Amino acid sequence: MPSGREIFYRDATKMVAAALQLAPTFAVTSRTPLFTDSFLRSGTPDYDVLPDGGFVMLQPSAASQLMVITNWQASGTRAGKK
């Protein structure tokens, strides 16, 4: 179940997780780059955090493939790279 104490965002070529402090005042307590890659500027959300805390990211390609990588943090695999 999401706690509301972390947000994810893209910063140029980085995907970043930011830890939040909610009280007594709102603050970002840390920022952790998760990975670096090139991103298409589609204007629509291309990633989401799942209810169990998992993370999914779509990366459209000219070949119209959909690649699903599970447990990517443990494997060290970067999405879209072989």
Side-chain angles (χ1 to χ4, degrees), residues 2 7-10 15 34-35 44-58 72:
I7 59 171
F8 297 89
Y9 63 94
R10 292 188 338 200
M15 193 71 196
L34 300 175
F35 56 88
T44 59
D46 54 6
Y47 63 91
D48 200 0
V49 180
L50 304 175
D52 66 358
F55 186 86
V56 62
M57 182 168 200
L58 301 176
W72 62 271

Side-chain angles (χ1 to χ4, degrees), residues 6-73:
E6 186 174 43
I7 59 171
F8 297 89
Y9 63 94
R10 292 188 338 200
D11 181 9
T13 61
K14 297 179 189 145
M15 193 71 196
V16 180
L20 306 176
Q21 170 185 298
L22 304 178
T25 59
F26 177 85
V28 175
T29 58
S30 68
R31 291 177 179 87
T32 305
L34 300 175
F35 56 88
T36 301
D37 207 340
S38 58
F39 300 106
L40 297 176
R41 302 289 181 215
S42 65
T44 59
D46 54 6
Y47 63 91
D48 200 0
V49 180
L50 304 175
D52 66 358
F55 186 86
V56 62
M57 182 168 200
L58 301 176
Q59 186 174 17
S61 69
S64 298
Q65 293 179 329
L66 176 62
M67 183 184 308
V68 178
I69 300 174
T70 60
N71 202 19
W72 62 271
Q73 288 176 316

